[in-house]
Amino acid sequence: MHAVGFQHQHSSPDRDNYIWIMYENIVDDQYGSFDIIQDVTSFGEPYDICTIMHYTDRAFSKNGEPTIVAKSDPGCVIGGAHEQGLTQIDKNKINHMYCS
């Protein structure tokens, strides 16, 4: 989805409502990979912890511990779409961006 213009979901300005970033577990030179980007749009879609555009729970871990923790049970593996493909929310966002 980067190729069609999307940023990572965990860069969304509202991400702190849904996840905790565990900076103590992140490789020191990768903190910037978890920055919030203010101009990320959701196209009115909900935060999607399952999206292919979400890092997995141990992305850039320096110690094997989680770097991202969901604040509630997402009903999926965080960033699990890497194995399953696009979520319905991913598809909705692409439609909003290119078909609306």
Side-chain angles (χ1 to χ4, degrees), residues 66-81:
T67 55
I68 299 174
V69 175
K71 290 187 174 184
S72 64
D73 181 4
C76 69
V77 175
I78 297 174

Side-chain angles (χ1 to χ4, degrees), residues 83-96:
E83 293 143 14
Q84 300 171 10
L86 299 175
T87 66
Q88 186 59 53
I89 294 171
D90 290 331
K91 294 172 188 176
N92 294 347
K93 287 180 178 180
I94 292 168
N95 280 329
H96 284 297

Side-chain angles (χ1 to χ4, degrees), residues 6-21 23 33-48 53-54 71 93:
F6 288 90
Q7 298 291 334
H8 287 116
Q9 179 69 72
H10 58 272
S11 297
S12 175
D14 66 342
R15 66 107 185 268
D16 292 336
N17 296 326
Y18 304 96
I19 61 172
W20 287 288
I21 303 297
Y23 287 99
S33 297
F34 295 85
D35 287 348
I36 289 175
I37 300 173
Q38 292 301 323
D39 63 352
V40 170
T41 181
S42 68
F43 294 101
E45 295 291 328
Y47 191 90
D48 186 6
M53 294 305 293
H54 206 297
K71 290 187 174 184
K93 287 180 178 180

